[in-house]
Amino acid sequence: MNYAHNGRRVSGLVAALSALRSRESPACGEYPDLAALGGLARAWGLDLIQLLPVNDSGSQSSPYSALSAFALHPLYLRVADLPEAAGKAGAPYRKAAAELAARFADDARLRYGPYLEAKLALLERIYAERGAAALGLPGAAPGAGARVPAGAEAGAASEAGAIQAFIAANPWVKAYAVFSELKRRYEGKPWWEWTERRDPEPAEVEALWEEPSLAAGTRFRAWLQWRAEGQFAAAAAALREAGVELMGDIPILISEDSAEVWARRRVFRLGLAAGAPPDMYSHLGQNWGFPIYDWEALEREGYGFWKERLASCEKFYSAYRIDHVLGFFRIWALSGRDRTGYLGRFVPDAHIGRAELEALGFGPDRLRWLSEPHVRTERLVAACSAGGAGDADAMEAALLALDRIGNEELFLFKRSIRGEKDIEELAARGAAGYGGAGVSEGARAFLLEAWRDRVLYEFEPGRYAPAWRHSEASAWGSLSGGEREALESLFAAKRAEGERIWEETGRRLLGVLKAESGMLPCAEDLGSVPPCVPRVLEELGILGLRVLRWTRDWGRPGDPFTPLGDYPELSVACPSVHDSSSLREWWETEADRGLVWDLAGRTLGKDLGAAPARLDPAAAAVLLKAMAASASRIVVYPFQDLLALGEAFRPADPKAERVNVPGSANEWNWGWRLPAALEEIAADRGLQAAVAELAAARAMA
């Protein structure tokens, strides 16, 4: 659907659906709650709601680890609004749903796993007892057919036709339903650990869909998606009627253990994992574990996968956020055997060939010296020494990973070692095989560090990329000044050539997305962004992202904050994001308060005096009003940051407002919930006035 506010400066709020709670949904947000959220946004004077992903993520609480790029999360279905739960016959289901919600309603953070398991069990019961029989689908409980009310046969037939039409219009449903049912039967194991059906052809997926022994489970999953789309579409329509835009979130990457990777293997490059190179926040980079795309295969099929994703989103959204837009230019690709993000290379890129290095005078021995870690005996001995009787055992275990070079005091990693995971597995095996002494933590860390110690990363035979910190490698110090200069010159030429490749790739791929949909595209372009990215985004009219704390003139003395009036018009500005601390926590524990306070004062044209240590409601209003005055086309405020404008709904400890800590996996992440029901928040007239003042200031900016 088309975005209605083109060219107009608007403001909005950001929320995860799981974080909402209402009188109807006290345990976890549900699709119909979006209509209530839209009413709150209108009362506050806001024009837009940015929604974090709502894809089915199975056992993973992170919405960015989805089981499917298309399937909606059944967690957000409202049982009371299901036709199967209507009337007198549906009363037991409504009662069970209310009792379930009451059990989880008082939890400070969402207990994702237990709540999902209980809700799915209830939904499966409803399907078996009411849905399957009425729709003429497999999976009905014995005697369930008698539950269809007399005289309702025509309505049931209409419903049966509707679900069949839904399945026919959404080809992904069959693969998702089959994948989900097989995954359930394999006790949640990833598809590559299944004993069979790991690599299906389209015809096999269709055959599995028709398989009678799987039919009850596959049709249940299809029914869930049909009902979820109905509830979500109704909520989205209510928002449109209220004049509130809905912005969705499309992660570029999807989980390797997903229906699409299982069923559409040809458009992914398995064996490679996406991540991010080392930076100031992560010394070893990041390994996200998601497979990268085979863009050539996608091009051959006319980018059908991505066009389908946009069409699916356009049912609900008028704008969308592309998570990690840099991936459309180039992705940091890692070996499937590495744990960290250190040893990788960009794909696509201008990589270095062996002939180019040989032309600079680096023969086979020199290339081996630069591209394979050489471990000196004295360093190995020092790493294995723990000062106890286990030293010899630790050395024996460490040598499981190494081969000595003749009689030299140098070792190379065995050919069987292909990455950090192999070293860790050998370390564990050594601990079991050498009297319990095994590889000491120091020796293990040393081996992993040694594995990364190289000037060149040979990712394929005869193809190289510079190691990220190549000038810190041991071998770099052995090179002459001329050799270093020659390599740096080659690396610089390849970087320039790579930039041209990235720009052409990003323009082509994002151009396909822009041409395909009337939705407003917005991009998450955080991190180390090459110069071609803002050029292409501006050329295509795609909005970038400006986060207050990270939008600074890096490299200038003192790294000053970029004036808010200098933010590009083609951007979305915000005070925080779901992967960061909230505005309050940042201010009170992390921020350069004096610099930020001065920035706000200059933006508002006021002398604000000294920066306060505590972000009370008045101080929060100052910062958010400064954000409202930014030159960005859209300003969005995470719900937590808006609640900071009052005292009623802010926790004593601002750390409790955080949604996610990247790089960690635990039950706490993605569990943040509103501290009160939407109805109670809407009744706070002081908060309403404070947010409305922000919105009014934004309208006049």
Side-chain angles (χ1 to χ4, degrees):
M1 77 190 58
N2 291 331
Y3 180 75
H5 294 313
N6 276 320
R8 178 174 161 240
R9 290 188 177 181
V10 301
S11 53
L13 63 82
V14 185
L17 186 50
S18 60
L20 303 184
R21 64 169 102 192
S22 66
R23 293 195 185 111
E24 293 287 331
S25 310
C28 175
E30 296 173 328
Y31 294 113
D33 287 318
L34 288 172
L37 183 62
L40 178 65
R42 279 281 58 161
W44 282 356
L46 302 176
D47 311 288
L48 179 143
I49 293 170
Q50 180 184 327
L51 192 64
L52 297 183
V54 292
N55 298 84
D56 184 1
S57 56
S59 62
Q60 302 296 314
S61 62
S62 170
Y64 293 94
S65 295
L67 285 178
S68 169
F70 302 94
L72 298 172
H73 210 311
L75 181 72
Y76 306 135
L77 274 167
R78 178 171 291 171
V79 168
D81 287 2
L82 293 173
E84 292 83 359
K88 183 177 180 181
Y93 307 129
R94 299 194 300 274
K95 181 173 183 287
E99 291 172 349
L100 171 61
R103 279 171 37 206
F104 292 86
D106 294 331
D107 292 337
R109 294 182 77 87
L110 174 65
R111 286 190 289 147
Y112 175 84
Y115 182 66
L116 174 62
E117 183 179 359
K119 189 161 187 178
L120 280 176
L122 174 58
L123 288 166
E124 192 160 15
R125 173 188 158 197
I126 294 170
Y127 172 75
E129 294 178 357
R130 295 270 292 171
L135 297 170
L137 297 176
R147 294 176 181 266
V148 180
E153 291 83 359
S158 176
E159 289 273 271
I163 190 172
Q164 295 299 340
F166 166 77
I167 294 168
N170 296 276
W172 57 266
V173 170
K174 291 182 179 180
Y176 160 77
V178 169
F179 173 80
S180 299
E181 178 61 14
L182 290 176
K183 189 172 179 64
R184 184 185 70 80
R185 296 192 179 206
Y186 281 111
E187 300 178 329
K189 292 179 181 178
W191 58 260
W192 53 88
E193 293 183 11
W194 298 353
T195 54
E196 56 184 353
R197 297 161 175 163
R198 290 191 298 259
D199 190 13
E201 293 294 329
E204 185 179 358
V205 173
E206 184 68 30
L208 289 168
W209 169 259
E210 298 295 343
E211 171 60 44
S213 65
L214 301 177
T218 57
R219 275 37 171 205
F220 168 60
R221 293 289 174 175
W223 173 79
L224 287 176
Q225 289 305 305
W226 179 50
R227 290 306 189 198
E229 180 174 301
Q231 290 193 4
F232 193 15
L239 291 179
R240 285 198 304 278
E241 189 173 339
V244 177
E245 305 277 5
L246 185 60
M247 178 189 293
D249 192 312
I250 306 181
I252 178 176
L253 302 166
I254 61 174
S255 173
E256 185 172 9
D257 189 23
S258 65
E260 279 70 48
V261 176
W262 174 72
R264 302 175 75 159
R265 202 78 45 83
R266 65 189 181 279
V267 300
F268 298 93
R269 294 181 63 180
L270 299 189
L272 294 177
D279 58 22
M280 61 189 292
Y281 301 106
S282 178
H283 179 71
L284 296 177
Q286 300 176 55
N287 187 333
W288 303 326
F290 299 131
I292 71 171
Y293 291 102
D294 185 333
W295 290 111
E296 293 180 357
L298 279 162
E299 184 177 21
R300 287 193 295 270
E301 66 164 33
Y303 302 106
F305 174 76
W306 273 97
K307 291 177 180 180
E308 290 169 35
R309 290 190 77 177
L310 289 180
S312 179
C313 290
E314 204 160 11
K315 298 174 184 177
F316 318 108
Y317 307 124
S318 61
Y320 65 100
R321 170 187 179 273
I322 308 169
D323 184 64
H324 194 63
V325 76
L326 268 67
F328 285 97
F329 294 80
R330 60 13 171 209
I331 201 80
W332 187 246
L334 305 158
S335 157
R337 297 303 301 166
D338 274 311
R339 185 81 63 189
T340 72
Y342 188 81
L343 279 182
R345 87 277 189 183
F346 289 120
V347 175
D349 204 358
H351 297 121
I352 302 168
R354 179 178 288 132
E356 294 175 283
L357 292 164
E358 290 175 344
L360 296 179
F362 295 100
D365 290 341
R366 297 287 277 163
L367 283 181
R368 190 179 191 188
W369 174 252
L370 295 174
S371 62
E372 292 191 41
H374 288 62
V375 181
R376 297 188 181 278
T377 304
E378 65 270 18
R379 293 186 63 202
L380 178 62
V381 171
C384 290
S385 296
D391 289 1
D393 287 341
M395 176 65 77
E396 287 292 325
L399 290 176
L400 288 171
L402 300 169
D403 283 327
R404 188 170 180 175
I405 304 175
N407 294 321
E408 297 184 58
E409 297 301 330
L410 286 173
F411 292 81
L412 291 171
F413 281 92
K414 293 180 182 292
R415 294 300 176 196
S416 58
I417 302 296
R418 296 167 295 150
E420 294 159 326
K421 293 179 182 178
D422 297 312
I423 294 171
E424 292 175 350
E425 290 170 4
L426 279 177
R429 192 196 314 170
Y434 288 92
V439 178
S440 68
E441 180 55 35
R444 174 184 166 278
F446 169 76
L447 288 172
L448 289 170
E449 182 181 354
W451 175 254
R452 305 174 193 122
D453 182 17
R454 60 187 83 197
V455 172
L456 296 170
Y457 171 43
E458 188 177 15
F459 58 89
E460 291 175 4
R463 299 188 72 200
Y464 302 84
W468 193 257
R469 295 193 179 95
H470 60 271
S471 62
E472 298 176 13
S474 301
W476 186 259
S478 70
L479 298 175
S480 68
E483 289 174 322
R484 293 183 200 173
E485 184 177 342
L487 283 176
E488 289 288 19
S489 178
L490 176 62
F491 297 166
K494 291 294 181 179
R495 279 195 299 272
E497 186 181 347
E499 278 260 2
R500 291 190 292 273
I501 294 171
W502 301 340
E503 182 164 359
E504 188 277 330
T505 301
R507 181 178 290 111
R508 182 180 72 254
L509 298 179
L510 292 175
V512 170
L513 269 61
K514 181 70 187 297
E516 188 65 22
S517 169
M519 293 185 290
L520 176 71
C522 305
E524 182 272 291
D525 55 348
L526 302 177
S528 180
V529 180
C532 63
V533 174
R535 277 201 305 271
V536 170
L537 294 183
E538 182 177 9
E539 177 186 320
L540 295 175
I542 298 175
L543 281 64
L545 180 63
R546 297 297 180 271
V547 185
L548 173 62
R549 68 193 67 185
W550 296 319
T551 307
R552 308 177 71 158
D553 295 333
W554 300 104
R556 284 184 56 194
D559 297 325
F561 285 90
T562 302
L564 291 157
D566 290 347
Y567 283 16
E569 193 273 336
L570 282 174
S571 67
V572 177
C574 58
S576 63
V577 294
H578 60 267
D579 280 338
S580 75
S581 53
S582 68
L583 180 65
R584 282 182 62 213
E585 184 184 357
W586 174 64
W587 180 264
E588 296 178 7
T589 65
E590 306 167 32
D592 297 321
R593 288 194 288 264
L595 292 177
V596 180
W597 202 242
D598 178 65
L599 173 73
R602 285 186 284 113
T603 303
L604 299 174
K606 296 180 180 180
D607 181 1
L608 300 176
R614 177 177 180 267
L615 195 75
D616 62 15
V622 168
L623 294 185
L624 295 183
K625 283 178 185 175
M627 291 295 304
S630 81
S632 298
R633 185 180 298 179
I634 298 174
V635 176
V636 292
Y637 310 97
F639 217 134
Q640 302 94 308
D641 295 348
L642 290 176
L643 296 180
L645 293 170
E647 291 285 5
F649 304 114
R650 54 163 60 197
D653 184 357
K655 289 185 174 64
E657 297 176 324
R658 181 145 191 168
V659 174
N660 180 55
V661 178
S664 62
N666 52 58
E667 294 181 357
W668 186 91
N669 277 348
W670 294 101
W672 182 76
R673 308 176 66 214
L674 289 181
L678 287 168
E679 296 87 351
E680 185 179 348
I681 294 172
D684 188 323
R685 297 304 174 216
L687 181 60
Q688 177 181 338
V691 180
E693 188 176 346
L694 274 185
R698 176 67 185 159
M700 298 188 324

